[in-house]
Amino acid sequence: MTGNAAIGILSAEQIRASLALGEIVIDRPLDDDQVQPASLDLRLGAVAYRVRASFLPGPNVLVKDRLAELTLHEIDLSAGSVLETGCVYIVPLLEGLALPPDIQASANPKSSTGRLDIFTRVITDRAQSFDTIPAGYHGPLYLEVSPRTFPIVARTGSRLSQIRFRRGDTHLNDTELAALNAREPLVDGAFRASGGLLLSIDLEGSNGIIGYRAKRHTGVVDVDKRAACDVLDYWEPIPVRGKAELILDPDQFYILVSREAVHVPPDYAAEMVAFDPLVGEFRVHYAGFFDPGFGHQAAGGAGSRAVLEVRSHEVPFILEHGQTVGRLVYETMSERPAKLYGSDLGSNYQAQGLKLSKHFR
């Protein structure tokens, strides 16, 4: 990778440099807005394989060999196709990697993907874990896609996931996080840290609602079309009631919001811990990447809340207003990106409060 050898998450400029060096391999030129301040969007390839079950290939197995055993049928994505709820699909991506030995990577669903309850995970050849790409990896990338609530339309080039590249140990411990907060406040309320910045839930609401509960048996959502779906066809607003609490039904998907507004300074990136047994038996926030400049006042983000995609595990679970629901882990950038999240990038969720994905009007 070009640029300095500083420890940290690689910036947009360093990602473009690595592309020029052939360390990111592409089947067609990048889209104009595909490189984000601290990540690269990943694009679906030409075909989706409907498989019997999710899998990890294991240390000596290629993904294509497992697909030969598990594929039920192939779906042509070139003109767009429906991916059904409750099904598991594996899609070869248009991007592959030829990483140098000092660079590793991790993947996460994009914010809009998580807000549609589309479960995605990146798989590599010989992988023993999802969404993690070891340093020095050379090979293709695949995306497991499983719509959980809404059937979707996707096509070649659709972007459901994103990847970050990092050099060295980039994570801030709680002492370092407290020092950063003293210099540049990370939260508009009390600073609390335990393995990351602790966030709580807002169940007092604004504009009369505290969140949204997804409806079932809806129409499809085209993942590439903005403002194409009516909110009430897909979502049930949850009104403010006398007691600021919510019982999560294990069969339901919710969009909620943090009580705190959060800030990611320009020289840092952050990631939400998706499932944290320390705070309860539920999963929060499929899409965990927060770019440099999220919530940054100079980038138009003052007051940005963390929107939480919430699904309970196995049993009903009661959330109460102010209850801790997640941890935001901060990491250093290798260099400050030239453009921050929200700064002339058309970022969808800067200065957000409770907000559904860009697909709804």
Side-chain angles (χ1 to χ4, degrees):
M1 291 255 169
T2 62
N4 60 43
I7 288 173
I9 300 288
L10 299 193
S11 70
E13 292 71 35
Q14 291 170 314
I15 291 170
R16 291 190 182 96
S18 71
L19 177 69
L21 288 173
E23 295 163 352
I24 300 171
V25 183
I26 54 175
D27 284 353
R28 73 182 196 193
L30 292 183
D31 300 340
D32 290 341
D33 60 346
Q34 194 173 340
V35 181
Q36 305 298 323
S39 63
L40 173 70
D41 291 349
L42 299 173
R43 300 170 296 178
L44 301 183
V47 63
Y49 298 94
R50 165 80 192 282
V51 293
R52 286 160 35 205
S54 174
F55 65 89
L56 280 169
N60 301 309
V61 181
L62 304 181
V63 173
K64 67 178 183 179
D65 294 332
R66 289 297 279 151
L67 286 174
E69 302 169 1
L70 295 173
T71 296
L72 298 175
H73 62 270
E74 299 180 15
I75 299 169
D76 182 5
L77 295 180
S78 58
S81 293
V82 174
L83 304 183
E84 302 283 358
T85 58
C87 299
V88 179
Y89 304 89
I90 305 295
V91 185
L93 297 173
L94 295 180
E95 292 76 29
L97 297 176
L99 295 179
D102 63 335
I103 297 293
Q104 59 180 305
S106 61
N108 244 318
K110 288 177 60 63
S111 294
S112 295
T113 303
R115 295 184 204 202
L116 289 175
D117 199 19
I118 306 169
F119 190 65
T120 69
R121 301 187 287 196
V122 167
I123 311 172
T124 64
D125 287 338
R126 305 177 182 87
Q128 299 182 73
S129 59
F130 295 105
D131 282 337
T132 56
I133 298 94
Y137 175 76
H138 284 55
L141 298 174
Y142 300 83
L143 190 67
E144 176 187 324
V145 182
S146 183
R148 303 290 300 276
T149 295
F150 310 123
I152 63 171
V153 173
R155 56 188 56 79
T156 303
S158 294
R159 288 141 57 175
L160 300 180
S161 189
Q162 55 195 338
I163 189 169
R164 268 184 182 170
F165 304 92
R166 57 175 56 80
R167 179 187 289 110
D169 183 3
T170 62
H171 293 86
L172 275 64
N173 61 36
D174 289 345
T175 301
E176 294 166 330
L177 197 61
L180 174 60
N181 181 72
R183 297 193 306 270
E184 301 186 69
L186 305 177
V187 62
D188 66 349
F191 173 81
R192 300 180 302 132
S194 178
L197 178 66
L198 295 178
L199 297 181
S200 63
I201 193 74
D202 177 11
L203 294 179
E204 292 185 343
S206 61
N207 298 321
I209 64 172
I210 60 173
Y212 296 90
R213 181 186 295 110
K215 291 185 175 182
R216 297 183 176 273
H217 313 298
T218 67
V220 298
V221 177
D222 189 320
V223 298
D224 297 321
K225 291 186 178 178
R226 295 171 183 253
C229 301
D230 187 274
V231 168
L232 295 181
D233 289 338
Y234 293 82
W235 298 95
E236 175 190 351
I238 305 171
V240 173
R241 293 183 289 184
K243 196 170 184 180
E245 67 178 26
L246 176 66
I247 297 178
L248 301 177
D249 188 311
D251 296 325
Q252 296 290 341
F253 177 69
Y254 301 84
I255 297 292
L256 304 170
V257 71
S258 69
R259 184 173 61 164
E260 302 86 359
V262 297
H263 173 214
V264 182
D267 293 311
Y268 298 86
E271 181 176 356
M272 182 77 78
V273 176
F275 170 61
D276 187 352
L278 297 178
V279 299
E281 291 299 313
F282 57 90
R283 181 188 177 100
V284 61
H285 213 289
Y286 284 103
F289 288 162
F290 287 64
D291 274 342
F294 180 87
H296 189 58
Q297 185 169 357
S304 294
R305 308 277 193 98
V307 168
L308 308 169
E309 301 105 19
V310 179
R311 180 181 286 279
S312 184
H313 290 295
E314 305 301 333
V315 297
F317 187 87
I318 296 178
L319 283 181
E320 298 181 354
H321 178 74
Q323 182 172 338
T324 299
V325 291
R327 289 182 292 158
L328 198 57
V329 176
Y330 281 72
E331 302 179 68
T332 58
M333 293 291 296
S334 177
E335 66 176 21
R336 180 181 294 201
K339 288 188 176 181
L340 302 178
Y341 185 87
S343 299
D344 303 319
L345 294 177
S347 306
N348 291 298
Y349 305 117
Q350 186 70 294
Q352 70 181 354
L354 177 65
K355 187 174 183 180
L356 297 172
S357 73
K358 61 189 178 184
H359 308 92
F360 300 99
R361 58 178 184 269

